[in-house]
Amino acid sequence: MTDHDDEQGQSLFAAPPMGEQERMVEAILFATPAPVTVSELTGRMPHGSDPATALAHLRKRYEGRGVRLVRVGEAWAMRTAPDLGYLMQKETVETRKLSRAAVETLAIIAYHQPVTRAEIEEIRGVSVSRGTVDQLLEMGWIRFGRRKMTPGRPATFVVTQEFLDHFGLESARDLPGLKELRAAGLLDNRPPPGSVPGPGETSDDDLLAADDEQSELFEE
Amino acid sequence: MTDHDDEQGQSLFAAPPMGEQERMVEAILFATPAPVTVSELTGRMPHGSDPATALAHLRKRYEGRGVRLVRVGEAWAMRTAPDLGYLMQKETVETRKLSRAAVETLAIIAYHQPVTRAEIEEIRGVSVSRGTVDQLLEMGWIRFGRRKMTPGRPATFVVTQEFLDHFGLESARDLPGLKELRAAGLLDNRPPPGSVPGPGETSDDDLLAADDEQSELFEE
Amino acid sequence: MTEELFDPNAPSDSTVAARLAAEALIIDVDGFEGPLDMLLTLSRTQKVDLRKISILQLAEQYLLFVERAKELRLELAADYLVMAAWLAFLKSRLLLPPDPEEDGPSGEELAAHLAFQLERLQAMRDAAAQLLARDQMGRDFFVRGIPEQVERVRRVRYTATLLDLMQGYARLRTKDEFRPFVLDREAVFTMEQALERMRGLIGFAGTWTDISSYLPDDFRTDAKRRRSATAATFAASLELAKEGKVEIRQSETFAPIELRRKRHD
């Protein structure tokens, strides 16, 4: 739709040299604590700029430095090198102590996303308290995903960019052990033969649908 | 790079190589929420470090980059290069409800697609402003469909994948029909306030029949 | 905390271990996140790979725990008892030869699924631990401490919900003046209606009469209705003339059209 505009812009205004573009990306990323998406960079840089290439150059430039350029989902940010963490004053708020239930729920959402409350309960074998989910939502580590196309259209949960940022993950695909877990079939939503007691009882259809959507999410 | 290796031997505990010290200063200046003095650096870095020299190296390293090392009184901080100040604009996105005209136009396109502008106007009973259609096009919720094989070959509008994603629909066919709208209490048979009820008030059957006719009309 | 209940160096005598475990469990039942969590904890006493676990043995351990709780008159939450009932059922299925009459899943299938659930829960716990062991923001790596003053430029993004959309559509479809596919007959007087009306009146038209006097009263004042009624009445007059029932005359262009009953001499 905007192809036309782009062509026009490129002919009218020459994009800045790549070295300049790199400086611009550097300045923008240094200025902002939150990760910045490529499209936001495009929006803030002069017309015709190629932030993706500039990011690649910049990433190389900061390799081995005290700060690094890291990818967070679809966005990029500058972060200090983890090996220098000991130099920092830890006056920054310590990670709030998460309950075991909250940590487990978070892991299940991260590895099974998009996942419904019923599926979380099925995996943990107990009902998920409102407080647990609320806490994770409030921390900004999880959010609501698309509703499932199953009866009742249940809401799903997915992890956020902030979650990725906090744990230094480039994407949900980089979760530790994800491949192994999937290979072992432990991320399958295997329908129970007959019914299993527990509050997280889920119908076969839900589970099968969940499996489809999950593979959709991770295969890109 | 590390031409100050000679300093290593000066203390009982070997100070880190200058390259390392530079990384440390870089990380500390990056993360500390206020400018940092040399003595503060000395306090935080390993024994025998020479932050003043490391600062000098670092300052040189950032010359001409997108950020610079600047002196603030007795302390040091990193700042965006002044010539790039114009990049420090952040778009904040304000979400607003779509106007009634736009919602109605969008609804007609979704329910009747592919539909021409004339057909939209016929259904709405008022002319459709260019702005409304442009807005929906720009949002990426509608696009041009195939031209109608009727005199004048008028352009048609259809909804986009983005539209379906936004509304959580698999296809426009998933939109609830009139029967469901009525069951949900969304379709009130009483005329809206302000309009005069006429003797020819449409019955449920009429509306449903009209719906059939209409799908016939628009299917081509 | 619950892991500490089980000394990894304890004698491998499973019945002793199970009894000790059951006792410890009763004391600490509040520390468990439901029956599945407890089963997972119990399964550790078997000291085997979760994939090789004996579900039968596990079921027995669990049932023993519930028995002990009953002896001590401890109240267990309902889901622990539901699980106990299910495990008792599972145990009978595993021990008794399969009933060919019965359709449901076999004991082995049920046991395999329970083993899968336990393994999956354990895997999620391990994953959670791995996640927490990663470098974390604010602990191992840090964000920019002095964010620049970033000027805010407002951009408006428009949005609507599915409800807005459906309500908008419903509003259109119920708008009184909007009936695009139903012909609005309110202002239409059809020829059939005119014919029927005139057939009843024509017997009285012995003298020349302006056809406008045949218009129904409620179609005389409103211009639209009058136009429709006039056209229909005129067409009906022609039809009646064709049938030989009336005569029509008009003295000049735009003069009133008159008709009278045709006399049959």
Side-chain angles (χ1 to χ4, degrees), chain B residues 108-125:
Chain B
I108 292 167
I109 295 170
Y111 274 91
H112 297 261
Q113 64 170 346
V115 62
T116 67
R117 181 186 290 261
E119 285 161 352
I120 298 170
E121 293 183 342
E122 195 193 341
I123 294 171
R124 283 199 66 219

Side-chain angles (χ1 to χ4, degrees), chain A residues 99-109 124, chain C residues 121 124-125 128:
Chain A
S99 68
R100 180 169 136 182
V103 171
E104 255 176 53
T105 303
L106 179 65
I108 290 168
I109 293 170
R124 296 197 60 232
Chain C
L121 182 58
M124 281 303 108
R125 296 223 166 126

Side-chain angles (χ1 to χ4, degrees), chain A residues 101-178:
Chain A
V103 171
E104 255 176 53
T105 303
L106 179 65
I108 290 168
I109 293 170
Y111 284 81
H112 287 83
Q113 64 174 334
V115 64
T116 66
R117 182 185 287 261
E119 287 159 358
I120 300 169
E121 293 182 339
E122 143 88 10
I123 293 170
R124 296 197 60 232
V126 277
S127 57
V128 175
S129 82
R130 232 198 117 67
T132 303
V133 171
D134 285 353
Q135 189 188 10
L136 294 173
L137 283 168
E138 201 187 304
M139 292 175 80
W141 283 358
I142 65 168
R143 63 173 176 83
F144 286 100
R146 280 170 61 171
R147 286 183 180 277
K148 263 215 166 142
M149 290 303 191
T150 50
R153 311 283 311 272
T156 63
F157 297 103
V158 295
V159 290
T160 61
Q161 178 178 286
E162 276 145 281
F163 166 85
L164 297 177
D165 198 10
H166 184 92
F167 291 102
L169 293 161
E170 286 206 352
S171 79
R173 264 160 291 184
D174 299 322
L175 284 164
L178 183 72

